[in-house]
Amino acid sequence: MKATAKAHTNIALIKYWGKRNEALILPTNNSLSITLDGFYSTTSVEFKEELTGDRFLLDDIAVEGEQFQRVTTFLDLVRDLAGKELFAEVASINAVPTAAGFASSASGFAALAAASSKAIGLNLSETELSRLTRQGSGSACRSVFGGFAEWQKGEEEDGSDSYAVPIAPQEHWDIRVAAVVLSSKMKKVSSRAGMRRTVETSPFFKGWVESIPQDLEVIKDGINNKDFEKVGAIAEANCLKMHATTLGANPPFTYWLDTTVSVMQTVQQLRDSGIPAYFTIDAGPNVKVLYLPEHEEKVQETLRTIPGVSDVKLSRVGQGISYLEDEKFV
Ligand code: DP6
């Protein structure tokens, strides 16, 4: 009863920020992302009769505490669905810098959901897999699909209609994302805690939620017509709105560092010099920059020379979940 799956992380252009149900991970708004080929997790799951508890190795190191708890709680869902009471050995390799705004939880939980459901003998459709993945980490439900995906928040209280759907496949459009790494340190306020505080205390939260349907309409039209400036402008504006909600929270907080703002300003200067480039930022200090293939060299060179930038990692649009047959993986 073993399976191995690979899932890529995703970057939201229209952000998920706020839950209506914490236990089931049901969001207050739809979100839309690009799956990235450069950052991924590969996870093997084996259910074994002889185990007396779950085991979780991340990058070859045994994990305990809160991270382990999230994995084992997720495996309980899989066991419940399958009606089997078997413990599992989970081994995951992350090609994503953990917890620095690179959503390693997205690729991690998508790979875990795919590998564990397959290993235990569930034969889930992509929709069912996305719905299950959502309960590990919300943003992860979009990583089931390659290309562009939208997570539909759904209306039902039990979350049965809250899952991602594909918007456009990987080959639809070759746009690029540069991940600008400023700090690989663990972030201070997790996305989970940050969005909770925002929902509970920020007077800006209501305005954020109300603005989403319009943003989604514009971005979907832009993706459809491959209108880069339309997509970039709305993604950047949506990111700024999300981050504005954190400044209104009590106590207020921000994920930005001084270098985060420098990168944002440099991207705006690139645009002033005629190069269409747009930024987006998740719940961490690092910035992701959207650009077109013909501007790769200039964009990369410009970002690398900003003081405080430690690395720039380039990525194309990536693929959805895949299953690896090999017993061994890297
Ligand atoms: C800012 O998916 O990490 O990256 O559902 O609590 O696990 P949980 O949160 P998570 O939040 C991601 C928030 C975001 C925006 C996004 O990816 O849409």
Side-chain angles (χ1 to χ4, degrees):
M1 299 189 85
K2 179 169 182 178
T4 300
K6 180 175 176 186
H8 292 76
T9 192
N10 67 76
I11 176 74
L13 304 182
I14 303 298
K15 305 292 183 193
Y16 145 52
W17 196 243
K19 293 184 181 68
R20 64 186 162 93
N21 181 320
E22 295 235 344
L24 293 174
I25 310 198
L26 298 175
T28 40
N29 66 276
N30 286 23
S31 53
L32 188 147
S33 61
I34 309 180
T35 302
L36 300 178
D37 80 339
F39 311 113
Y40 53 87
S41 302
T42 311
T43 301
S44 251
V45 177
E46 184 167 17
F47 288 95
K48 289 179 172 172
E49 299 276 359
E50 63 267 31
L51 290 174
T52 52
D54 293 320
R55 296 189 56 209
F56 175 37
L57 291 179
L58 179 60
D59 297 328
D60 288 329
I61 296 166
V63 177
E64 286 167 15
E66 197 190 322
Q67 239 182 335
F68 171 77
Q69 207 45 54
R70 275 182 75 175
V71 167
T72 196
T73 303
F74 184 80
L75 290 172
D76 287 342
L77 292 174
V78 177
R79 285 185 273 261
D80 278 357
L81 267 182
K84 291 185 181 150
E85 282 181 28
L86 289 169
F87 291 112
E89 247 168 28
V90 178
S92 191
I93 302 284
N94 256 352
V96 188
T98 302
F102 278 84
S104 63
S105 66
S107 53
F109 274 100
L112 176 66
S116 60
S117 59
K118 184 160 187 242
I120 210 163
L122 289 165
N123 192 9
L124 302 182
S125 67
E126 284 181 324
T127 298
E128 288 166 334
L129 182 59
S130 178
R131 196 193 286 127
L132 171 67
T133 303
R134 185 202 81 223
Q135 294 171 76
S137 181
S139 56
C141 78
R142 300 182 305 238
S143 277
V144 168
F145 299 98
F148 299 76
E150 178 178 1
W151 174 11
Q152 300 182 332
K153 67 183 175 71
E155 303 297 333
E156 300 296 335
E157 298 222 337
D158 65 358
S160 53
D161 57 351
S162 186
Y163 48 77
V165 297
I167 292 294
Q170 183 186 13
E171 56 283 4
H172 170 69
W173 196 11
D174 182 14
I175 63 175
R176 306 279 169 93
V177 178
V180 186
V181 184
L182 314 182
S183 155
S184 55
K185 290 199 194 100
M186 297 291 278
K187 59 198 178 200
K188 279 202 208 116
V189 183
S190 69
S191 46
R192 195 158 279 194
M195 70 176 89
R196 181 185 305 135
R197 195 190 299 173
T198 303
V199 173
E200 286 171 358
T201 66
S202 179
F204 305 156
F205 184 66
K206 189 168 174 278
W208 156 255
V209 173
E210 283 170 3
S211 75
I212 298 293
Q214 171 70 15
D215 285 3
L216 272 170
E217 202 181 305
V218 175
I219 206 158
K220 283 200 264 191
D221 186 61
I223 292 168
N224 232 344
N225 297 312
K226 301 185 195 173
D227 182 338
F228 184 70
E229 281 160 40
K230 192 172 195 172
V231 168
I234 201 76
E236 192 173 293
N238 183 271
C239 151
L240 288 170
K241 263 189 296 199
M242 177 205 123
H243 285 270
T245 65
T246 71
L247 297 178
N250 183 15
F253 65 104
T254 181
Y255 290 105
W256 299 354
L257 300 173
D258 49 359
T259 317
T260 310
V261 179
S262 301
V263 177
M264 290 156 69
Q265 286 169 338
T266 303
V267 170
Q268 282 163 348
Q269 282 157 12
L270 271 171
R271 281 211 296 280
D272 293 343
S273 72
I275 293 182
Y278 298 87
F279 62 78
T280 185
I281 305 160
D282 279 342
N286 299 315
V287 184
K288 283 83 179 179
V289 179
L290 305 168
Y291 61 94
L292 290 168
E294 58 267 36
H295 299 124
E296 184 149 283
E297 213 170 307
K298 177 72 185 163
V299 169
Q300 181 180 192
E301 196 185 286
T302 307
L303 296 172
R304 280 191 189 279
T305 53
I306 302 170
V309 167
S310 61
D311 201 1
V312 176
K313 293 177 186 292
L314 308 182
S315 185
R316 297 174 183 234
V317 180
Q319 55 274 60
I321 296 276
S322 58
Y323 295 92
L324 311 184
E325 296 305 327
D326 251 350
E327 286 289 298
K328 277 189 152 299
F329 67 88
V330 280

